């Protein structure tokens, strides 16, 4: 992104960088309006402290400041440090829980000084599972590393298979490559229960039932192997376990697969044949497919398809889930995990799964307190047990809006004995529960270095403008807090500049020592802004064809259809279809017959931007709507425009019905917004569950059952 700054130091224009081979000079609609966010009048510009006696809980939007008073950074840092020290001394440092995700994805902003701080403190570690863990673990089981077809090469594909991937909405910069491929005769097939714009524009949209992708992938394998459409030479050279996979796939006849997915047997066959016989075929699997209970296995089974048909051999073929494996940052030096040994624990702290925040805040540490009426928690296999959480430190995340099982999260956040600090830019669903709010910078106001998960360029993000008000970066905040805690290690005094050099692993000659980055120096990066990783430096002469030479970093060194790693954990070494418990196949479907997809918004970034008028306007058509199939609406006497109540055992939500052709029968869809922007003070995560995926222990936002009725009639 290029930022134009005027003589007074004010950013006046943002635009895409025309020299960037992937973004090619354009920004997506929401980031094109980024200056509205930077200069929004409601930005928090000073540290704030909750007023004495002001209760925690939802404040009306626009009046949140009434519950807070301005304090100096000095006072805030001293008070927070004193409180953390006292809590650590009394309950042990593991009673302090950091909570962060992807507010900024820069290497420094995402995880650097903060990690050092919490390691040194001995705070609980956060397992960051809310987005991509199921798919990431799955991909690595098959291929060892997250690499894929360069986005620029999608132009050369003859078939693009978008699987659980809302390319037009969420991955805008890949779309022009696909358009170009189609101009050259490529076909686009989309597998998504929801008719996204990507799906509407496709040659073939398969509106698969949620959570049945494992069956479809195995059914495609069945047809491919049955008809001899696999690439035997590639399989023999590059893969492990095809015999076992073939035996498993034999069970998944097109007829059985049709029964689960809602497709016809002929469609399953047609899909398998066109995929196997058109090369180059590029699979764009995205993270939508892995937000189901069986999402790890789904991603794993789908990931095997390009290996089965040898699609990796062709430039423009293969596939992409993420390219993040190309960026070998020197994380150890940036994060310094060994600081845990200097903490009062003297060891690595327990791990708490961020996708079960509600349980973490309400159940941890309650063992043996039955008499107080709290109850024995179920066995917490997602975390070691230990002390209750007494302090929560939130940054880069808005769990009040994005975490599943919102009622449990809010019960936890509202605990009067919980000390909560939030570092963010706006009052939001989480700051309503904060004891202290600290003002954060936008990426225009701090320096960072970036990798990517959809392309192969290392990028330097220069500070363009001075921080607004007293806003401060994540790096600054945790460095300062460390001083107040009395942490004397020199690493807490390092600057963003020094840490950028560490992330790059700069050697004595100024060149990076990170694998694949040896040609990069800080000066060159400053000059160019973006530089490709080594294997992508000359794509025309030496195109990057992932997974075409051995060894890979899997245990067998090959692509693994069969996984000894899983077998050793007592898990099925081969993919098998297990219907999600929360689906039309599960026991609860009698009471809650509709599958709910609590989607992202095309015009927000998760919960980011939802408070800005311009973005809200762009989102007006789907904002607070429940999209329904005409059959499900008719059965409930619902028409477009009716207020409807959507509920399950975890919570309820009032939305406006939008009866359209976007979802298949039995499926309803909502869209992300801040909870406090809804009339009832909850968003769609009041319906989602803390159940975790089969691989990666990730969130299951797309395995949710609900019932719907016209509002105004009592639920029961
Ligand atoms: N505009 C916009 N762009 C974004 C974001 C945003 O909030 N807004 N968020 C960013 C983030 S954090 C991420 S992780 C990426 C994610 O980008 P995507 O991976 O595209 O993720 P989702 O939008 O969660 O899901 C993609 C599609 O999967 C479909 N889906 C749901 N369940 C199933 C299923 O069982 N099977 C199949 N085949 N499909 C299913 C959904 O209907 C959806 O259209 O996007 C990023 N880009
Ligand atoms: N129902 C449902 N829930 C979902 C999803 C879904 O599809 N459906 N998607 C899930 C996914 S894929 C993801 S990735 C998560 C995303 O969850 P989050 O990572 O929490 O994403 P955001 O909602 O964008 O919140 C990021 C916050 O960080 C703040 N921020 C931005 N930059 C900085 C900074 O430099 N410093 C600090 N301290 N703060 C900063 C922003 O203002 C914002 O409030 O949500 C998940 N939740
Ligand atoms: Mo995400």
């Amino acid at each position: 992104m290029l930022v134009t700054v005027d003589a007074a130091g004010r950013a006046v224009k943002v635009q895409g960088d025309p020299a960037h081979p992937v973004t090619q000079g354009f920004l997506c609609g929401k980031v094109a309006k980024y200056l509205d966010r930077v200069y929004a009048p409601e930005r928090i510009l000073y540290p704030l402290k909750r007023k004495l006696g002001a209760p925690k809980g939802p404040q009306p939007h626009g009046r949140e400041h009434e519950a807070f008073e301005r304090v100096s950074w000095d006072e805030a840092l001293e008070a927070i440090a004193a409180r953390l020290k006292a809590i650590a001394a009394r309950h042990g440092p593991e009673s302090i829980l950091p909570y962060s995700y992807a507010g900024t994805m820069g290497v420094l902003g995402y995880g650097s000084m903060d990690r050092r701080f919490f390691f040194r403190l001995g705070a609980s570690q956060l397992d960051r599972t809310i987005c991509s863990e199921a798919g990431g673990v799955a991909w690595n089981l098959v291929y060892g590393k997250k690499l894929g077809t360069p986005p620029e090469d999608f132009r050369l594909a003859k078939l693009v298979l978008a699987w659980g991937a809302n390319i037009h909405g969420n991955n805008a910069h890949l779309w022009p490559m696909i358009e170009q491929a189609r101009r050259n005769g490529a076909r686009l097939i989309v597998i998504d229960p929801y008719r996204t714009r990507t799906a509407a524009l496709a040659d073939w949209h398969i509106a698969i039932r949620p959570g049945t992708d494992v069956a479809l992938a195995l059914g495609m394998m069945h047809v491919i192997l049955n008809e001899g459409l696999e690439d035997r030479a590639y399989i023999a050279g590059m893969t492990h376990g095809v015999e076992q996979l073939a035996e498993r796939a034999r069970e998944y006849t097109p007829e059985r697969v049709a029964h689960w997915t809602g497709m016809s047997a002929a469609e399953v066959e047609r899909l398998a044949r066109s995929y196997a016989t058109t090369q180059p075929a590029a699979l764009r699997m995205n993270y939508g497919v892995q937000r189901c209970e069986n999402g790890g296995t789904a991603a794993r089974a789908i990931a095997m398809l390009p290996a089965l048909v040898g699609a990796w051999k062709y430039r423009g073929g293969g596939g992409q889930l993420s390219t993040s494996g190309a960026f070998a940052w020197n994380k150890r030096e940036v994060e310094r995990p060994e600081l845990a040994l200097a903490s009062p624990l003297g060891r690595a702290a327990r791990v708490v799964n961020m996708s079960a925040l509600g349980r973490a805040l309400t159940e941890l540490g309650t063992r043996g307190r039955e008499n107080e009426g709290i109850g024995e928690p179920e066995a917490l296999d997602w975390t070691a047990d230990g002390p209750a959480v007494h302090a929560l430190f939130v940054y880069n995340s808005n769990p009040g809006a994005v975490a599943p099982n919102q009622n449990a999260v809010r019960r936890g956040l509202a605990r009067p004995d919980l000390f909560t600090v939030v570092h963010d830019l706006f009052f939001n669903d989480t700051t309503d529960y904060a004891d202290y709010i600290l003002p954060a910078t936008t990426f225009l106001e701090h320096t960072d270095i970036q990798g990517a998960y959809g392309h192969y360029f290392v990028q330097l993000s220069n500070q363009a403008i001075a921080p607004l008000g007293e806003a401060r970066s994540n790096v600054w905040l945790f460095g300062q807090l460390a001083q107040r805690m009395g942490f004397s290690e020199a690493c807490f005094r390092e600057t963003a500049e020094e840490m950028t050099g560490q992330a790059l692993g700069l050697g004595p000659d100024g060149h990076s020592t990170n694998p694949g980055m040896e040609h990069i120096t800080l000066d060159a990066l400053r000059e160019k802004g973006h530089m490709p990783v080594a294997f992508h430096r000359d794509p025309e002469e030496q195109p990057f064809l992932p997974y075409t030479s051995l060894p890979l970093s899997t245990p067998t060194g090959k692509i693994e259809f069969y996984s000894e790693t899983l077998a050793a954990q007592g898990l099925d070494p081969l993919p098998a279809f297990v219907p999600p418990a929360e689906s039309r196949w599960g026991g609860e479907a009698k009471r809650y017959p509709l599958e709910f997809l609590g989607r992202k918004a095309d015009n927000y970034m998760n919960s980011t931007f939802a408070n800005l008028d311009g973005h809200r306007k762009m989102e007006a058509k789907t904002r607070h709507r429940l999209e329904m199939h005409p059959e499900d609406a008719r059965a409930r006497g619902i028409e477009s425009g009716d207020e409807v109540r959507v509920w399950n055992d975890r919570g309820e939500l009032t939305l406006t019905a939008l009866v359209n052709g976007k979802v298949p029968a039995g499926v309803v869809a909502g869209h992300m917004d801040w909870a406090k922007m809804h009339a009832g003070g909850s968003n769609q995560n009041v319906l989602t569950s803390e159940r975790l995926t089969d691989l990666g222990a990730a969130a299951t936002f797309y395995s949710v059952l609900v019932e719907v009725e016209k509002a105004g009639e009592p639920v029961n």
Side-chain angles (χ1 to χ4, degrees):
M1 179 199 267
L2 302 180
V3 183
T4 309
V5 181
D6 72 9
R10 189 179 166 91
V12 290
K13 185 178 166 195
V14 294
Q15 65 191 102
D17 180 353
H20 197 290
V22 179
T23 58
Q24 300 186 88
F26 85 92
L27 300 175
C28 70
K30 55 198 181 313
V31 172
K33 292 182 187 310
Y34 202 78
L35 294 182
D36 292 354
R37 175 171 163 85
V38 175
Y39 294 111
E42 64 270 35
R43 249 189 84 175
I44 300 170
L45 296 177
Y46 309 99
L48 297 166
K49 172 187 171 184
R50 182 171 293 278
K51 283 181 184 162
L52 211 62
K56 293 185 180 182
Q59 303 285 313
H61 179 57
R63 289 180 40 199
E64 293 93 340
H65 57 276
E66 290 172 15
F68 294 91
E69 59 190 289
R70 180 176 169 180
V71 292
S72 67
W73 265 108
D74 216 38
E75 184 183 339
L77 291 168
E78 278 301 327
I80 293 166
R83 193 67 189 267
L84 293 181
K85 277 184 205 163
I87 288 170
R90 171 128 187 250
H91 305 283
E94 285 173 310
S95 66
I96 299 167
L97 179 67
Y99 197 91
S100 77
Y101 200 61
T104 166
M105 297 192 76
V107 174
L108 304 189
Y110 178 80
S112 63
M113 198 63 95
D114 55 312
R115 303 295 202 269
R116 295 175 180 181
F117 176 80
F118 291 112
F119 280 130
R120 175 66 181 76
L121 182 59
S124 285
Q125 302 186 70
L126 190 71
D127 196 3
R128 292 179 172 80
T129 58
I130 205 159
C131 173
S132 63
E133 270 303 285
V137 167
W139 188 275
N140 288 341
L141 280 166
V142 180
Y143 293 108
K145 208 179 203 187
K146 284 196 256 181
L147 297 172
T149 309
E152 301 94 310
D153 284 358
F154 273 65
R155 285 187 277 235
L156 303 173
K158 287 294 170 213
L159 178 81
V160 176
L161 182 55
W163 203 322
N166 179 10
I167 297 169
H168 205 282
N170 294 354
N171 186 194
H173 291 98
L174 186 62
W175 186 251
M177 320 288 179
I178 293 175
E179 280 187 321
Q180 195 172 331
R182 296 180 84 188
R183 280 197 294 275
N184 295 331
R187 295 181 71 227
L188 171 65
I189 303 177
V190 174
I191 305 177
D192 191 321
Y194 183 90
R195 196 165 178 81
T196 58
R197 202 166 148 70
T198 322
L201 291 168
D203 296 288
W204 184 13
H205 172 208
I206 299 169
I208 192 172
R209 289 178 182 147
T212 63
D213 305 87
V214 186
L216 178 56
L218 282 161
M220 288 171 72
M221 293 177 194
H222 177 101
V223 176
I224 290 167
L225 291 163
N226 212 27
E227 301 185 0
L229 303 176
E230 75 275 19
D231 184 331
R232 290 202 193 125
Y234 183 85
I235 291 171
M238 292 293 299
T239 73
H240 169 78
V242 74
E243 295 80 16
Q244 293 97 319
L245 182 68
E247 199 180 318
R248 177 60 59 85
R250 217 166 285 140
E251 301 165 25
Y252 291 82
T253 61
E255 291 71 27
R256 284 183 76 201
V257 170
H259 164 74
W260 285 310
T261 56
M263 302 165 71
S264 70
E267 284 174 327
V268 176
E269 285 168 355
R270 180 150 71 92
L271 176 65
R273 286 180 197 135
S274 14
Y275 177 68
T277 59
T278 315
Q279 291 300 349
L283 167 72
R284 179 44 163 147
M285 166 163 59
N286 214 335
Y287 287 112
V289 84
Q290 48 96 70
R291 303 191 210 289
C292 301
E293 289 168 35
N294 58 16
T297 303
R300 184 164 167 253
I302 296 165
M304 292 174 185
L305 291 169
L308 202 63
V309 300
W312 297 110
K313 294 195 310 202
Y314 308 93
R315 186 168 178 209
Q320 193 190 99
L321 173 65
S322 168
T323 58
S324 61
F327 302 94
W329 303 114
N330 187 358
K331 283 256 165 83
R332 278 198 78 83
E333 204 175 333
V334 172
E335 301 181 357
R336 304 283 304 269
E338 75 283 0
L339 286 166
L341 301 176
S343 78
L345 289 176
R347 57 165 169 85
R350 71 172 172 192
V351 177
V352 173
N353 190 324
M354 75 182 301
S355 300
L357 177 64
R359 297 186 67 180
L361 294 180
T362 57
E363 293 181 14
L364 272 180
T366 56
R367 192 158 290 182
R369 286 207 281 158
E370 304 93 311
N371 298 341
E372 296 171 38
I374 294 169
E376 183 80 6
E378 284 172 49
L380 302 181
D381 57 0
W382 43 274
T383 172
D385 208 348
V389 176
H390 289 278
L392 183 71
F393 205 124
V394 181
Y395 57 104
N396 283 350
S397 186
N398 182 9
V402 303
N405 198 3
Q406 194 159 82
N407 279 331
V409 171
R410 284 193 297 222
R411 268 198 305 281
L413 289 173
R415 274 173 39 205
D417 59 322
L418 181 72
F419 177 64
T420 300
V421 180
V422 181
H423 185 220
D424 207 306
L425 296 96
F426 294 97
F427 292 108
N428 62 28
D429 291 326
T430 311
T431 56
D432 279 346
Y433 296 86
D435 293 281
Y436 282 87
I437 306 175
L438 305 173
T441 39
T442 65
F443 70 85
L444 268 58
E445 298 155 64
H446 59 242
T447 295
D448 213 328
I449 183 159
Q450 320 258 349
Y453 62 107
H455 64 63
Y456 287 121
F457 293 86
V458 172
Q459 309 186 150
L460 197 68
S461 177
N462 293 308
Q463 182 177 339
I465 56 173
L468 269 65
E470 293 180 4
R472 293 293 179 266
S473 71
N474 299 5
V475 169
W476 184 91
L477 165 62
F478 288 103
Q480 288 296 311
L481 209 49
Q483 323 283 319
R484 311 282 168 149
M485 296 292 291
F487 300 160
S488 56
E489 289 83 356
C491 68
F492 290 113
R493 289 187 295 276
E494 284 169 358
T495 61
E497 173 108 325
E498 289 169 299
M499 294 172 78
T500 302
Q502 291 166 356
L504 281 169
L506 294 183
D509 67 350
H511 281 259
S512 170
T513 57
N514 296 344
M517 297 186 191
E518 297 89 344
H519 57 294
I520 296 179
T521 65
L522 205 46
D523 283 341
L525 203 51
R526 272 203 202 97
E527 190 194 316
K528 298 183 167 81
H530 58 269
M531 291 177 77
V533 293
F535 60 69
H536 196 53
R537 288 174 78 182
D538 191 0
E540 291 318 314
E541 288 304 311
Q542 285 176 299
F544 174 53
L545 299 178
Y547 315 120
T548 47
S549 63
L550 297 178
L552 306 182
S553 45
T554 54
T556 57
K558 296 186 164 185
I559 298 171
E560 298 198 349
F561 294 134
Y562 181 95
S563 169
E564 297 287 357
T565 308
L566 289 178
Q569 292 168 28
L571 299 171
D572 194 338
L574 294 162
F577 175 58
V578 182
E582 275 209 48
S583 71
R584 66 186 72 201
W585 317 103
E588 287 295 288
K590 284 198 191 67
R591 286 168 61 213
Y592 300 117
L594 297 170
E595 292 166 334
F596 175 74
L597 295 179
R599 306 168 53 75
K600 300 174 194 308
D602 280 357
N603 301 293
Y604 306 152
M605 184 69 194
N606 301 305
S607 79
T608 297
F609 299 121
N611 58 321
L612 301 176
D613 288 342
H615 293 75
R616 269 214 301 274
K617 255 182 225 135
M618 295 197 289
E619 196 56 27
K621 278 193 190 139
T622 42
R623 196 168 172 261
H624 299 192
R625 297 296 194 287
L626 182 76
E627 295 180 90
M628 299 186 79
H629 188 271
E631 225 172 75
D632 297 318
R634 207 175 309 122
R636 291 165 179 78
I638 293 168
E639 289 175 15
S640 278
D642 285 347
E643 294 261 283
V644 291
R645 185 185 287 114
V646 192
W647 82 99
N648 58 26
D649 284 348
R650 293 178 289 269
E652 71 170 79
L653 186 61
T654 303
L655 297 169
T656 305
L658 178 58
V659 182
N660 60 19
K662 293 263 180 88
V663 284
V667 178
V668 294
H671 299 264
M672 179 61 85
D673 195 0
W674 285 9
K676 63 192 303 167
M677 302 293 186
H678 284 261
S682 297
N683 74 7
Q684 54 188 9
N685 276 324
V686 82
L687 303 167
T688 55
S689 90
E690 291 173 275
R691 230 190 231 113
L692 302 173
T693 54
D694 53 351
L695 299 174
T700 55
F701 293 112
Y702 296 155
S703 289
V704 175
L705 285 174
V706 298
E707 179 53 296
V708 177
E709 66 172 14
K710 214 164 145 165
E713 298 146 33
V715 179
N716 237 327

